[in-house]
Amino acid sequence: MNKILLLIDKLEETGELSLEEYEFIIQNRTAEIAEILAKKAVELRQKYYGDDVFTRGLIEISNFCKNDCLYCGIRRSNKAADRYRLTEADILECCDEGYELGFRTFVLQGGEDGYFTDDVLCSIISKIKVKYPDCAVTISMGERSYESYKRLYDAGADRYLLRHETADKEHYQKLHPSEMSFDNRIKCLYNLREIGYQVGCGFMVGSPYQTAKTLAKDLKFIETFKPDMCGIGPFVPHHDTPFRDEKAGTVELTCFLLSLIRIIHPRVLLPSTTALGTIDPRGREKGVLSGANVVMPNLSPVSVRKKYELYDNKICTGEESAQCKNCLSMRMNSVGCKIVVSRGDINKERS
């Protein structure tokens, strides 16, 4: 216990640890250590963001995907998936509704769908920005070329989310088909940073073949890359994937890692994810109590929410939806936080 506390103090002071030290903390964590860590994480969140929790209006624009990731319910090989694709008019209507509800960030998320060329996405982005210049637009559409990312940025996209899934190359290869490249995934993140995006990465907690050592590499990557956002959530199996019988990740380890990430990178925007809320009715509150400060309610048309099923039992109607923002506000109030109407950019000012 004393050794872990010394390592946490060192992390607070320097913002870095060795891979072995991160691994030691993960392997030797206890409920008591988690409590100490969460308290420190919340104090850091309050230092930079007060009690504000930022909301993002999530619009799931397509569940078509060219990739065949072994963990994902919308993988190419899943013939049982009920495919859909929103039109430009559908997406703009979601933004209209979201703006009325108070959202000032729209997240366009989907599989790697060839329909959404640069021309199609640039048209959508520019129309959102013309109509709602006070809003941020975030894209989460997977791996694209440098030129493609640049075009989307020039059209008005502010942020890009691309989860790296794991920072261990060997582990990455066990989760993805051979045509997908770990090196290219990481290169994409650096390209996004170079272009000027606010960049988000992230990883699954408890994914098959994950170890304390692979998680230590994830933490080291967060430490060195310093993303503007970091989305982590528990792995939840999907019944139509090769990992259908694998064990899900836990709220306990996810929250422990959220606290560690907040201490590694105190200004990071840290979501409390839908996956946390899926495996525990109070999962998102627990995430916020561990240092998170972002929630992403669903703005997608109700008719398609169940179809964007990355994993089983995803909550997709009810309190996580944008229309029930009051319910979410009450949930956040119950843990001493408040939902705010703002773009919710990363705090880059000196303390």
Side-chain angles (χ1 to χ4, degrees):
M1 168 113 168
N2 282 345
K3 183 178 176 182
I4 291 186
L5 292 177
L6 288 171
L7 288 175
I8 292 168
D9 287 344
K10 179 183 172 184
L11 184 60
E12 269 193 294
E13 217 172 290
T14 66
E16 57 184 59
L17 292 176
S18 69
L19 278 172
E20 293 72 25
E21 288 169 332
Y22 282 128
E23 187 179 358
F24 181 85
I25 290 175
I26 293 164
Q27 284 177 325
N28 294 280
R29 68 188 189 280
T30 62
E32 193 180 349
I33 293 292
E35 202 175 317
I36 292 166
L37 211 55
K39 187 169 181 289
K40 288 177 183 289
V42 167
E43 284 169 1
L44 281 170
R45 185 196 67 213
Q46 287 171 332
K47 178 180 176 182
Y48 293 106
Y49 297 103
D51 294 320
D52 292 352
V53 171
F54 302 123
T55 55
R56 316 304 199 198
L58 178 63
I59 307 170
E60 295 159 335
I61 67 176
S62 172
N63 71 348
F64 284 88
C65 191
K66 69 176 188 183
N67 293 330
D68 219 14
C69 306
L70 277 67
Y71 48 82
C72 184
I74 64 168
R75 65 197 303 262
R76 184 182 72 229
S77 292
N78 183 7
K79 304 302 180 198
D82 185 1
R83 304 289 178 180
Y84 75 91
R85 180 183 288 133
L86 299 186
T87 64
E88 180 177 283
D90 293 331
I91 294 164
L92 295 173
E93 198 177 309
C94 291
C95 293
D96 291 341
E97 183 185 4
Y99 195 86
E100 285 297 311
L101 286 165
F103 290 91
R104 296 298 178 264
T105 289
F106 302 117
V107 181
L108 309 188
Q109 184 179 75
E112 292 195 24
D113 179 355
Y115 169 82
F116 286 98
T117 60
D118 294 346
D119 287 344
V120 171
L121 274 178
C122 286
S123 172
I124 294 166
I125 292 163
S126 59
K127 282 176 180 157
I128 296 171
K129 295 295 281 194
V130 165
K131 192 164 187 184
Y132 300 117
D134 55 332
C135 291
V137 173
T138 301
I139 306 296
S140 182
M141 298 286 290
E143 296 176 19
R144 302 173 82 95
S145 67
Y146 185 99
E147 294 70 29
S148 173
Y149 288 146
K150 182 74 167 66
R151 279 197 64 191
L152 302 185
Y153 182 76
D154 290 343
D158 302 275
R159 306 174 183 144
Y160 203 102
L161 303 179
L162 181 66
R163 295 205 345 176
H164 62 281
E165 304 302 359
T166 172
D168 180 278
K169 187 171 183 174
E170 194 180 323
H171 185 213
Y172 185 92
Q173 289 166 339
K174 290 178 179 176
L175 303 178
H176 299 90
S178 57
E179 68 265 19
M180 291 183 70
S181 157
F182 170 80
D183 293 335
N184 190 61
R185 178 65 61 115
I186 300 300
K187 181 184 170 189
C188 283
L189 285 167
Y190 280 96
N191 284 346
L192 290 162
R193 164 74 51 78
E194 186 182 312
I195 289 165
Y197 283 94
Q198 293 177 43
V199 184
C201 62
F203 57 93
M204 291 178 288
V205 178
S207 61
Y209 314 109
Q210 190 175 69
T211 63
K213 185 171 281 187
T214 59
L215 281 172
K217 288 185 179 180
D218 284 311
L219 295 177
K220 196 69 182 170
F221 180 68
I222 303 305
E223 176 198 297
T224 53
F225 183 69
K226 287 208 166 21
D228 299 290
M229 300 155 278
C230 182
I232 73 168
F235 162 74
V236 184
H238 186 284
H239 61 281
D240 282 321
T241 68
F243 290 159
R244 64 180 69 84
D245 298 321
E246 298 290 339
K247 203 170 141 194
T250 65
V251 173
E252 174 269 321
L253 181 52
T254 304
C255 287
F256 187 82
L257 293 168
L258 282 170
S259 297
L260 271 177
I261 291 167
R262 174 64 67 197
I263 294 167
I264 292 167
H265 185 15
R267 301 168 194 266
V268 73
L269 293 164
L270 202 54
S272 191
T273 61
T274 302
L276 261 179
T278 294
I279 66 170
D280 185 317
R282 281 182 56 81
R284 275 163 307 178
E285 290 93 318
K286 289 176 181 178
V288 170
L289 288 169
S290 303
N293 67 330
V294 173
V295 287
M296 295 172 70
N298 203 324
L299 267 179
S300 309
V302 174
S303 60
V304 303
R305 287 182 194 171
K306 283 191 181 296
K307 297 177 185 179
Y308 198 80
E309 190 182 58
L310 306 183
Y311 47 82
D312 283 347
N313 304 314
K314 176 189 157 199
I315 47 176
C316 56
T317 54
E319 287 186 25
E320 86 300 336
S321 70
Q323 292 82 351
C324 199
K325 210 154 142 267
N326 288 340
C327 315
L328 198 53
S329 287
M330 287 191 289
R331 281 176 173 268
M332 294 302 106
N333 291 345
S334 76
V335 291
C337 289
K338 63 182 189 294
I339 296 287
V340 291
V341 174
S342 91
R343 281 172 44 117
D345 291 303
I346 188 169
N347 178 349
K348 288 187 172 176
E349 294 176 10
R350 291 177 183 275
S351 54

